[in-house]
Structures are given as structure tokens and as C-alpha cells.
Amino acid sequence: MSSASGGTAIQRLGARISEHVERWMPSPFLFAIILSYVVFGGGLSLGNGPAEMVGFWYDGFWSLLTFAMQMVLILVTGYALAYHPWVQRAIGWLTSLPNDGKQAVVLVGVLSMVVAWIHWGLGLIAGAVIAREMGRQAHERDISVHYPLLCVAGYMGMGLTWHWGLAASAPLLMNTEGNVFVEEGVVSGLIPPSQTIFHPYTLALTVLGIAYAAVVLYLLAPPKSETDGITEYVPENELFGREDEAATDGGELDAATEADAADTTADEAADPTIGERIDHSNLLGGLIALGGVLYVGGVFVTDGLDALSLDTMNFAFLFLGLLLYTAPKEYQEQFYEAVSSTGGIILQFPLYAGIMGMMNSSGLSEVLAETLVSVSTPATFPAVAWMTAGIVNVFVPSGGGEWTVIGPIVIDAAQDLGVPLGQTTVAYAVGDAHTNLLQPFWALPLLGITGMRARDMFGYAVTMLLLLVPFLAIALTVIPY
């Protein structure tokens, strides 16, 4: 761990916060458990009984199953795309470009934010893969780069741009048929992406946000003397593999075993069964994939960009991945590997759904939202919506899930103040993404890929969160809608 003694003021700030977070931050699963107790206590303070709170907790466990599956699909389809050989070759080329640690951190951050805007699942996994590969290449090329900050750069798509982009759950939910807001009469109709994701207000936020974050990452990069490279966190043999295993005492046996395996593989390849041929049929996989992609393309041709929703996004990326891999067996294997990366999310999603159930049924959500929006004016409301989302996201790190709970209160306040609902949704989405830099839930796949613990990198994530506050507060208020 680098010290906080040298460098500029902003570099020392990042190092000091990192030291404190590394000392105090629990694991992501324990983080969720602690938050459960905090919300339980908050519900008791409003006059709810312990048995009632347990009931709210249990009922909430199952309230996000559909949405959880949609989120898992976004993550898994993005993972499969990120590990396609074409994408891997592009990552290898891009990570060879930087000549120093600052350039490396900025490149990883910008790529993560841009790709996450296109597809947050792809951005999260690609950001992690790029960060690890950049760390590996920096080690090989003797470039000093601070690996914890590099991993935070790979997470910046989830910490800034994802909820303003093409797979943004709250904006897309508002344009999904039969959504809870329409069914409960909160809004009279769908809010199309032209009023949220593709509105000039949102596009300006995206461009300016990426530029600002890139500058902050550049300034945060520690001096060469205080960097911790990738081998401080990932064993070198895991990065480059062990050479000449046959030189060990069991070398001859290993060589013989490998030869037998090679012969078996050759025999299978020489005489594949009909089932194996079907499994690896590029024709069968390619046709159905092409059909799916063409169907989605036709939907967008007919309805324009306003056809974008969670369902169309998942459908499109599912079949785009199959189209790239073509052979069903290859895509299936990559999909299975991707599913393993979602284990932590699947485990914790019900806990956070339970937290949401306690917050919603106990009245905590309503008290929080009403307190914040009561101090708003039409000019300050976007910033207040951002802060509201940021606070709630710490307890319920599910952009669309928390929006279904807090959204009706926020929308009612926006309508009373005359604030456009598209702007309200985007401002809320900004806050939800922003505090992912404090909440480690969505970082779980990245932690697995990069070999990091949450406490190793979240000091710099928290520093980024703090340094983004003035920019977001001003931009949300000043940029016209």
C-alpha cells in the first residue's frame, strides 16, 4: 500500500482516503448485512414493531425477481461479448498505447465510461478486463501505474455514465410497456428515450462528465515512487502462467498424459457424432442469431430509438453475442462462464430487495424522499433528485428497483414544480450511478476479474465520488433542459 506522504494535494487526498477505507471497509456481503440492520433500526424508529419489520423484509425479498433477471442478463450478455476473441484483440491493442501511468489510468477510465454508456454489462466487464490487461502490460513494459486506481478507472462506467446510456434501467423502465408507473397512474403514458437518454441535456452531461472524470483520474494518479503495481495484488504466475511444468519430477508423466489427451481430442475431432456436429453448427447458430438481430433492427426502423427498453436491449445483445460466436456450443460455454461471475450479485440481490421492502413498507423511503423534495425549487430540483438517488442507492443498489419505490414521490414533486419528467428521471439516474463509487455491490464481477478486494480499490472510488460532487451539482443545475 502506497503512503500518503508525497505528491500533490489531490494525490495525497486519494492516498489518505484509500488508507482509511482499506482499514475499515467490510466485504460487500457483510456491507449488505450491516445495511439491513441499519434500515431495520430506522424502521423501528418510525414506530414499526420488530415483527412487522421482519415481515416487510421477507416480503421485499421476492419483489425484484423479474428485474434481477433482467439485470443478470444484461451483465451476462455483456460478459460474453467482452470475452469474444475480436474484443480481446482490440483490448490488447488499446492497452499497448499508453506510455506512462497517468495515460494508462485515463485511457482505461474513458473506455470504461464510453462502453458502459452503450451497455453497462459490457462496460463493467470490459472495464475490468482492460484494467487487468493494462496492469499486466504495464508490469511487462516497466510502466509505473497504481493498480487500485487503475481498477477504479475500469469501474468508472458504473460510477458515472451507465445510467445515462442505452441500457439505463430507470429511463428504459419508463419506456417499457406495462411498467408500474403507468399501471399505478403515476404517469399517463410512456416517457420515450428522446426525452431522457437522447435528450441534449443528457448528452451534454455525458460528454462533460467523461471529460471531467478523465481530468480527475489524471490528477489522482500517484507519483512513480508511490505506485503499487498489479503484482502487489495478483500473483505473477496467475498473470503470465508457469513455464516448463514438465521440468518437475512428474514431467514425463505430465507429458504422457498430455499426449493421451491430445490423441483423444484428435480422435473426437476426426469422428464427431451427429449431436456434436449440431452443437457446433455455425449454420444453425448463425441463422437464429441473424433472425434475432434483424428483428430488433426492424423494430428500431419502425419505431425509432424510442423502441429502446430493457427487453429490447437484452434481446438485442443476447442474439448479437450468438451472431459473433455463431456456434451454439461456444456461446453456451462462454455464457456459463459468465453466469459464474454473477454469483455474488444473485446472492446479495434478495438482501437488497429485503432492504427495499423494509424501506418502502415502513415509511422510511417516503420520509426520506419527501424531506428532500420539500426543500426544492424548480431550479434546484434536479440536484435534489440526484442527492435523493445517491442516498437511496447506498441502501438499495438497483437503479430500476429503487426507482420503482422512490420514483412516484419524486415524479409527483416534479409535476407539482413543473419540472419535465425526462429531466427528473435523468437527474435521478445520475445520482444512482454516482454512489456506485461508494456501494460495492456492482463491483463484484470486476473484483473477481481484477483480483482485488473491495477495500483495496474503494478508497480511490470514494475519492472520485467526492471530487465529482461539485461538477454534478453545477452541471445538473446549469445545463438547460
Side-chain angles (χ1 to χ4, degrees), residues 322-343:
L322 180 56
L323 187 63
L324 287 178
Y325 284 91
T326 310
K329 184 69 172 179
E330 292 179 16
Y331 191 47
Q332 173 186 302
E333 290 174 351
Q334 192 61 65
F335 221 78
Y336 286 176
E337 184 176 337
V339 168
S340 67
S341 73
T342 67

PDB file of all heavy atoms in Angstrom, residues 322-343:
ATOM      1  N   LEU A 322     -24.584 -14.276 -29.865  1.00  0.00           N
ATOM      2  CA  LEU A 322     -24.653 -15.542 -30.599  1.00  0.00           C
ATOM      3  C   LEU A 322     -24.192 -15.350 -32.037  1.00  0.00           C
ATOM      4  O   LEU A 322     -23.536 -16.226 -32.619  1.00  0.00           O
ATOM      5  CB  LEU A 322     -26.080 -16.096 -30.560  1.00  0.00           C
ATOM      6  CG  LEU A 322     -26.309 -17.425 -31.293  1.00  0.00           C
ATOM      7  CD1 LEU A 322     -25.370 -18.507 -30.771  1.00  0.00           C
ATOM      8  CD2 LEU A 322     -27.767 -17.861 -31.156  1.00  0.00           C
ATOM      9  N   LEU A 323     -24.505 -14.202 -32.627  1.00  0.00           N
ATOM     10  CA  LEU A 323     -24.086 -13.937 -34.003  1.00  0.00           C
ATOM     11  C   LEU A 323     -22.564 -13.864 -34.103  1.00  0.00           C
ATOM     12  O   LEU A 323     -21.976 -14.302 -35.094  1.00  0.00           O
ATOM     13  CB  LEU A 323     -24.711 -12.632 -34.494  1.00  0.00           C
ATOM     14  CG  LEU A 323     -24.509 -12.304 -35.984  1.00  0.00           C
ATOM     15  CD1 LEU A 323     -25.175 -13.358 -36.867  1.00  0.00           C
ATOM     16  CD2 LEU A 323     -25.085 -10.923 -36.303  1.00  0.00           C
ATOM     17  N   LEU A 324     -21.909 -13.313 -33.089  1.00  0.00           N
ATOM     18  CA  LEU A 324     -20.451 -13.230 -33.102  1.00  0.00           C
ATOM     19  C   LEU A 324     -19.810 -14.602 -32.894  1.00  0.00           C
ATOM     20  O   LEU A 324     -18.849 -14.956 -33.578  1.00  0.00           O
ATOM     21  CB  LEU A 324     -19.971 -12.256 -32.026  1.00  0.00           C
ATOM     22  CG  LEU A 324     -20.209 -10.771 -32.292  1.00  0.00           C
ATOM     23  CD1 LEU A 324     -19.722  -9.940 -31.121  1.00  0.00           C
ATOM     24  CD2 LEU A 324     -19.510 -10.328 -33.572  1.00  0.00           C
ATOM     25  N   TYR A 325     -20.331 -15.378 -31.939  1.00  0.00           N
ATOM     26  CA  TYR A 325     -19.762 -16.701 -31.680  1.00  0.00           C
ATOM     27  C   TYR A 325     -20.223 -17.727 -32.715  1.00  0.00           C
ATOM     28  O   TYR A 325     -19.511 -18.675 -33.026  1.00  0.00           O
ATOM     29  CB  TYR A 325     -20.151 -17.185 -30.284  1.00  0.00           C
ATOM     30  CG  TYR A 325     -19.372 -16.507 -29.176  1.00  0.00           C
ATOM     31  CD1 TYR A 325     -19.839 -15.345 -28.579  1.00  0.00           C
ATOM     32  CD2 TYR A 325     -18.160 -17.033 -28.733  1.00  0.00           C
ATOM     33  CE1 TYR A 325     -19.140 -14.726 -27.555  1.00  0.00           C
ATOM     34  CE2 TYR A 325     -17.442 -16.431 -27.723  1.00  0.00           C
ATOM     35  CZ  TYR A 325     -17.930 -15.273 -27.130  1.00  0.00           C
ATOM     36  OH  TYR A 325     -17.228 -14.658 -26.126  1.00  0.00           O
ATOM     37  N   THR A 326     -21.454 -17.574 -33.200  1.00  0.00           N
ATOM     38  CA  THR A 326     -22.087 -18.402 -34.247  1.00  0.00           C
ATOM     39  C   THR A 326     -22.370 -19.833 -33.781  1.00  0.00           C
ATOM     40  O   THR A 326     -23.514 -20.276 -33.795  1.00  0.00           O
ATOM     41  CB  THR A 326     -21.240 -18.435 -35.526  1.00  0.00           C
ATOM     42  OG1 THR A 326     -20.905 -17.112 -35.900  1.00  0.00           O
ATOM     43  CG2 THR A 326     -22.020 -19.084 -36.666  1.00  0.00           C
ATOM     44  N   ALA A 327     -21.355 -20.559 -33.358  1.00  0.00           N
ATOM     45  CA  ALA A 327     -21.574 -21.944 -32.925  1.00  0.00           C
ATOM     46  C   ALA A 327     -22.284 -21.944 -31.575  1.00  0.00           C
ATOM     47  O   ALA A 327     -21.785 -21.358 -30.609  1.00  0.00           O
ATOM     48  CB  ALA A 327     -20.248 -22.677 -32.814  1.00  0.00           C
ATOM     49  N   PRO A 328     -23.452 -22.588 -31.467  1.00  0.00           N
ATOM     50  CA  PRO A 328     -24.203 -22.581 -30.202  1.00  0.00           C
ATOM     51  C   PRO A 328     -23.392 -23.087 -29.012  1.00  0.00           C
ATOM     52  O   PRO A 328     -23.488 -22.548 -27.918  1.00  0.00           O
ATOM     53  CB  PRO A 328     -25.385 -23.514 -30.491  1.00  0.00           C
ATOM     54  CG  PRO A 328     -25.559 -23.458 -31.970  1.00  0.00           C
ATOM     55  CD  PRO A 328     -24.182 -23.308 -32.530  1.00  0.00           C
ATOM     56  N   LYS A 329     -22.569 -24.120 -29.214  1.00  0.00           N
ATOM     57  CA  LYS A 329     -21.803 -24.697 -28.107  1.00  0.00           C
ATOM     58  C   LYS A 329     -20.809 -23.685 -27.542  1.00  0.00           C
ATOM     59  O   LYS A 329     -20.649 -23.559 -26.324  1.00  0.00           O
ATOM     60  CB  LYS A 329     -21.063 -25.950 -28.592  1.00  0.00           C
ATOM     61  CG  LYS A 329     -20.307 -26.702 -27.499  1.00  0.00           C
ATOM     62  CD  LYS A 329     -21.252 -27.359 -26.516  1.00  0.00           C
ATOM     63  CE  LYS A 329     -20.502 -28.255 -25.556  1.00  0.00           C
ATOM     64  NZ  LYS A 329     -21.411 -28.890 -24.572  1.00  0.00           N
ATOM     65  N   GLU A 330     -20.139 -22.959 -28.428  1.00  0.00           N
ATOM     66  CA  GLU A 330     -19.153 -21.975 -27.974  1.00  0.00           C
ATOM     67  C   GLU A 330     -19.832 -20.851 -27.185  1.00  0.00           C
ATOM     68  O   GLU A 330     -19.323 -20.409 -26.146  1.00  0.00           O
ATOM     69  CB  GLU A 330     -18.401 -21.405 -29.174  1.00  0.00           C
ATOM     70  CG  GLU A 330     -17.496 -22.411 -29.868  1.00  0.00           C
ATOM     71  CD  GLU A 330     -16.796 -21.806 -31.062  1.00  0.00           C
ATOM     72  OE1 GLU A 330     -16.758 -20.564 -31.176  1.00  0.00           O
ATOM     73  OE2 GLU A 330     -16.294 -22.580 -31.905  1.00  0.00           O
ATOM     74  N   TYR A 331     -20.959 -20.387 -27.678  1.00  0.00           N
ATOM     75  CA  TYR A 331     -21.667 -19.315 -26.980  1.00  0.00           C
ATOM     76  C   TYR A 331     -22.202 -19.809 -25.640  1.00  0.00           C
ATOM     77  O   TYR A 331     -22.142 -19.104 -24.628  1.00  0.00           O
ATOM     78  CB  TYR A 331     -22.817 -18.810 -27.859  1.00  0.00           C
ATOM     79  CG  TYR A 331     -23.463 -17.533 -27.353  1.00  0.00           C
ATOM     80  CD1 TYR A 331     -22.686 -16.453 -26.949  1.00  0.00           C
ATOM     81  CD2 TYR A 331     -24.849 -17.398 -27.302  1.00  0.00           C
ATOM     82  CE1 TYR A 331     -23.275 -15.271 -26.507  1.00  0.00           C
ATOM     83  CE2 TYR A 331     -25.444 -16.226 -26.869  1.00  0.00           C
ATOM     84  CZ  TYR A 331     -24.648 -15.171 -26.473  1.00  0.00           C
ATOM     85  OH  TYR A 331     -25.226 -14.003 -26.029  1.00  0.00           O
ATOM     86  N   GLN A 332     -22.693 -21.046 -25.626  1.00  0.00           N
ATOM     87  CA  GLN A 332     -23.202 -21.610 -24.389  1.00  0.00           C
ATOM     88  C   GLN A 332     -22.101 -21.700 -23.337  1.00  0.00           C
ATOM     89  O   GLN A 332     -22.305 -21.350 -22.171  1.00  0.00           O
ATOM     90  CB  GLN A 332     -23.759 -23.005 -24.657  1.00  0.00           C
ATOM     91  CG  GLN A 332     -24.177 -23.771 -23.396  1.00  0.00           C
ATOM     92  CD  GLN A 332     -24.592 -25.192 -23.713  1.00  0.00           C
ATOM     93  OE1 GLN A 332     -25.490 -25.419 -24.493  1.00  0.00           O
ATOM     94  NE2 GLN A 332     -23.906 -26.160 -23.124  1.00  0.00           N
ATOM     95  N   GLU A 333     -20.919 -22.162 -23.723  1.00  0.00           N
ATOM     96  CA  GLU A 333     -19.815 -22.282 -22.777  1.00  0.00           C
ATOM     97  C   GLU A 333     -19.404 -20.926 -22.228  1.00  0.00           C
ATOM     98  O   GLU A 333     -19.109 -20.785 -21.036  1.00  0.00           O
ATOM     99  CB  GLU A 333     -18.633 -22.980 -23.455  1.00  0.00           C
ATOM    100  CG  GLU A 333     -18.882 -24.464 -23.721  1.00  0.00           C
ATOM    101  CD  GLU A 333     -17.778 -25.112 -24.528  1.00  0.00           C
ATOM    102  OE1 GLU A 333     -16.896 -24.363 -25.033  1.00  0.00           O
ATOM    103  OE2 GLU A 333     -17.784 -26.347 -24.685  1.00  0.00           O
ATOM    104  N   GLN A 334     -19.360 -19.911 -23.104  1.00  0.00           N
ATOM    105  CA  GLN A 334     -18.995 -18.568 -22.637  1.00  0.00           C
ATOM    106  C   GLN A 334     -20.078 -18.006 -21.721  1.00  0.00           C
ATOM    107  O   GLN A 334     -19.791 -17.327 -20.738  1.00  0.00           O
ATOM    108  CB  GLN A 334     -18.796 -17.633 -23.833  1.00  0.00           C
ATOM    109  CG  GLN A 334     -18.140 -16.310 -23.474  1.00  0.00           C
ATOM    110  CD  GLN A 334     -16.753 -16.512 -22.886  1.00  0.00           C
ATOM    111  OE1 GLN A 334     -15.841 -16.990 -23.546  1.00  0.00           O
ATOM    112  NE2 GLN A 334     -16.576 -16.161 -21.621  1.00  0.00           N
ATOM    113  N   PHE A 335     -21.319 -18.329 -22.035  1.00  0.00           N
ATOM    114  CA  PHE A 335     -22.440 -17.889 -21.214  1.00  0.00           C
ATOM    115  C   PHE A 335     -22.361 -18.516 -19.823  1.00  0.00           C
ATOM    116  O   PHE A 335     -22.571 -17.839 -18.817  1.00  0.00           O
ATOM    117  CB  PHE A 335     -23.758 -18.281 -21.885  1.00  0.00           C
ATOM    118  CG  PHE A 335     -24.824 -17.224 -21.806  1.00  0.00           C
ATOM    119  CD1 PHE A 335     -24.796 -16.122 -22.635  1.00  0.00           C
ATOM    120  CD2 PHE A 335     -25.868 -17.331 -20.891  1.00  0.00           C
ATOM    121  CE1 PHE A 335     -25.783 -15.147 -22.571  1.00  0.00           C
ATOM    122  CE2 PHE A 335     -26.850 -16.364 -20.806  1.00  0.00           C
ATOM    123  CZ  PHE A 335     -26.817 -15.273 -21.662  1.00  0.00           C
ATOM    124  N   TYR A 336     -22.052 -19.823 -19.765  1.00  0.00           N
ATOM    125  CA  TYR A 336     -21.943 -20.499 -18.475  1.00  0.00           C
ATOM    126  C   TYR A 336     -20.832 -19.885 -17.636  1.00  0.00           C
ATOM    127  O   TYR A 336     -20.972 -19.704 -16.427  1.00  0.00           O
ATOM    128  CB  TYR A 336     -21.665 -21.993 -18.677  1.00  0.00           C
ATOM    129  CG  TYR A 336     -22.853 -22.802 -19.149  1.00  0.00           C
ATOM    130  CD1 TYR A 336     -22.731 -24.149 -19.448  1.00  0.00           C
ATOM    131  CD2 TYR A 336     -24.105 -22.213 -19.299  1.00  0.00           C
ATOM    132  CE1 TYR A 336     -23.821 -24.901 -19.885  1.00  0.00           C
ATOM    133  CE2 TYR A 336     -25.194 -22.947 -19.730  1.00  0.00           C
ATOM    134  CZ  TYR A 336     -25.056 -24.287 -20.028  1.00  0.00           C
ATOM    135  OH  TYR A 336     -26.131 -25.021 -20.462  1.00  0.00           O
ATOM    136  N   GLU A 337     -19.718 -19.586 -18.284  1.00  0.00           N
ATOM    137  CA  GLU A 337     -18.613 -18.959 -17.553  1.00  0.00           C
ATOM    138  C   GLU A 337     -19.022 -17.580 -17.042  1.00  0.00           C
ATOM    139  O   GLU A 337     -18.672 -17.188 -15.933  1.00  0.00           O
ATOM    140  CB  GLU A 337     -17.387 -18.844 -18.459  1.00  0.00           C
ATOM    141  CG  GLU A 337     -16.163 -18.298 -17.748  1.00  0.00           C
ATOM    142  CD  GLU A 337     -14.933 -18.291 -18.624  1.00  0.00           C
ATOM    143  OE1 GLU A 337     -14.881 -19.077 -19.594  1.00  0.00           O
ATOM    144  OE2 GLU A 337     -14.014 -17.495 -18.357  1.00  0.00           O
ATOM    145  N   ALA A 338     -19.789 -16.859 -17.851  1.00  0.00           N
ATOM    146  CA  ALA A 338     -20.243 -15.531 -17.443  1.00  0.00           C
ATOM    147  C   ALA A 338     -21.184 -15.610 -16.252  1.00  0.00           C
ATOM    148  O   ALA A 338     -21.133 -14.766 -15.353  1.00  0.00           O
ATOM    149  CB  ALA A 338     -20.938 -14.839 -18.622  1.00  0.00           C
ATOM    150  N   VAL A 339     -22.051 -16.614 -16.235  1.00  0.00           N
ATOM    151  CA  VAL A 339     -23.012 -16.749 -15.143  1.00  0.00           C
ATOM    152  C   VAL A 339     -22.297 -16.887 -13.803  1.00  0.00           C
ATOM    153  O   VAL A 339     -22.758 -16.375 -12.777  1.00  0.00           O
ATOM    154  CB  VAL A 339     -23.943 -17.959 -15.393  1.00  0.00           C
ATOM    155  CG1 VAL A 339     -24.749 -18.292 -14.150  1.00  0.00           C
ATOM    156  CG2 VAL A 339     -24.887 -17.656 -16.559  1.00  0.00           C
ATOM    157  N   SER A 340     -21.144 -17.551 -13.794  1.00  0.00           N
ATOM    158  CA  SER A 340     -20.412 -17.712 -12.540  1.00  0.00           C
ATOM    159  C   SER A 340     -19.983 -16.372 -11.961  1.00  0.00           C
ATOM    160  O   SER A 340     -19.824 -16.234 -10.750  1.00  0.00           O
ATOM    161  CB  SER A 340     -19.185 -18.609 -12.760  1.00  0.00           C
ATOM    162  OG  SER A 340     -18.236 -17.964 -13.599  1.00  0.00           O
ATOM    163  N   SER A 341     -19.794 -15.378 -12.816  1.00  0.00           N
ATOM    164  CA  SER A 341     -19.379 -14.057 -12.331  1.00  0.00           C
ATOM    165  C   SER A 341     -20.522 -13.301 -11.660  1.00  0.00           C
ATOM    166  O   SER A 341     -20.294 -12.282 -11.014  1.00  0.00           O
ATOM    167  CB  SER A 341     -18.840 -13.219 -13.496  1.00  0.00           C
ATOM    168  OG  SER A 341     -19.892 -12.800 -14.347  1.00  0.00           O
ATOM    169  N   THR A 342     -21.742 -13.792 -11.810  1.00  0.00           N
ATOM    170  CA  THR A 342     -22.894 -13.105 -11.219  1.00  0.00           C
ATOM    171  C   THR A 342     -23.291 -13.691  -9.873  1.00  0.00           C
ATOM    172  O   THR A 342     -24.286 -13.260  -9.285  1.00  0.00           O
ATOM    173  CB  THR A 342     -24.110 -13.185 -12.169  1.00  0.00           C
ATOM    174  OG1 THR A 342     -24.560 -14.547 -12.259  1.00  0.00           O
ATOM    175  CG2 THR A 342     -23.774 -12.673 -13.555  1.00  0.00           C
ATOM    176  N   GLY A 343     -22.534 -14.675  -9.379  1.00  0.00           N
ATOM    177  CA  GLY A 343     -22.917 -15.349  -8.140  1.00  0.00           C
ATOM    178  C   GLY A 343     -23.097 -14.407  -6.973  1.00  0.00           C
ATOM    179  O   GLY A 343     -24.078 -14.492  -6.223  1.00  0.00           O
TER     180      GLY A 343
END
